[in-house]
């Protein structure tokens, strides 16, 4: 099964944790490929240059830096920095694929029930250095009524 990393490097400068983040991205690629699967990337030119600097771009079977240019730039990326995965989901051509966070590596690829289509989400259990959660809570996206519907 093909997996995609969908990533936008929002800041001009790399974070203080860039080497660790890239190392985990490397693990994500290698563990996925170790199982005989293919890994592709949607990103922008800035992140591609970062990958080229560390010679990681060779690990992807395809890197698309053009598709991102077609998306409107009116999303608050400081608040919804995972929006790249949502955007690229709509243009992935394969019927069966996975979108993996660049910081997710699977030591063993799970058996997926291919008769179902599904969306999976996960909460982050850690906080940023400033004490803020990395992802906004659902209450900042959905109305109270919609939140109650989800609980039922």
């Amino acid at each position: 099964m093909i997996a995609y990393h969908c990533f936008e490097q929002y800041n001009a400068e790399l974070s203080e944790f860039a080497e660790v983040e890239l190392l985990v991205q490397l693990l994500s690629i290698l563990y996925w490929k170790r199982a005989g699967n293919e890994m592709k990337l949607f990103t922008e030119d800035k992140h591609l240059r970062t990958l080229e600097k560390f010679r990681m771009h060779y690990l992807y079977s395809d890197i698309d830096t053009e598709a991102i240019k077609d998306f409107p730039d009116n999303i608050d990326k400081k608040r919804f920095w995972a929006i790249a995965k949502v955007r690229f989901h709509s243009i992935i051509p394969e019927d069966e694929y996975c979108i993996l966070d660049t910081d997710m590596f699977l030591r063993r690829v799970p058996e997926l029930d291919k008769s179902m289509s599904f969306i999976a989400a996960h909460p982050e259990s850690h906080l940023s250095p400033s004490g803020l959660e990395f992802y906004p809570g659902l209450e900042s996206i959905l109305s109270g009524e919609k939140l109650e519907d989800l609980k039922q």
Side-chain angles (χ1 to χ4, degrees):
M1 180 178 291
I2 294 175
Y4 285 86
H5 279 161
C6 302
F7 188 80
E8 266 185 277
Q9 183 178 312
Y10 299 129
N11 299 315
E13 299 298 320
L14 295 176
S15 81
E16 63 184 300
F17 305 108
E19 290 86 359
V20 173
E21 292 167 348
L22 288 168
L23 179 60
V24 176
Q25 184 174 349
L26 177 64
L27 286 173
S28 182
I29 299 165
L30 294 177
Y31 271 98
W32 188 258
K33 290 177 70 170
R34 180 179 78 169
N37 296 306
E38 184 178 357
M39 179 67 79
K40 296 182 178 184
L41 172 67
F42 283 108
T43 193
E44 85 302 314
D45 293 325
K46 190 177 353 177
H47 187 60
L48 177 57
R49 286 191 302 274
T50 299
L51 295 176
E52 289 171 343
K53 176 181 175 183
F54 291 95
R55 301 183 50 80
M56 288 176 55
H57 63 294
Y58 292 113
L59 298 170
Y60 290 100
S61 62
D62 184 60
I63 299 175
D64 184 327
T65 59
E66 293 301 311
I68 199 166
K69 296 172 185 172
D70 293 333
F71 292 119
D73 200 27
N74 59 352
I75 301 287
D76 181 356
K77 294 174 186 167
K78 290 191 183 298
R79 188 169 183 192
F80 300 106
W81 53 269
I83 192 65
K85 292 179 284 222
V86 175
R87 288 175 162 173
F88 291 119
H89 165 71
S90 67
I91 63 169
I92 291 175
E94 289 84 14
D95 291 331
E96 293 181 359
Y97 61 90
C98 289
I99 296 176
L100 298 179
D101 286 353
T102 56
D103 64 354
M104 178 183 186
F105 63 95
L106 302 167
R107 292 188 176 128
R108 183 181 55 81
V109 177
E111 280 296 317
L112 302 174
D113 182 352
K114 295 180 182 178
S115 69
M116 304 176 85
S117 64
F118 63 95
I119 296 173
H122 65 89
E124 293 286 340
S125 59
H126 54 277
L127 300 176
S128 70
S130 63
L132 300 173
E133 292 188 21
F134 279 104
Y135 289 104
L138 285 177
E139 64 278 354
S140 69
I141 302 169
L142 301 173
S143 68
E145 182 180 308
K146 292 287 185 190
L147 282 172
E148 287 303 314
D149 289 345
L150 288 175
K151 292 179 183 177
Q152 297 177 9

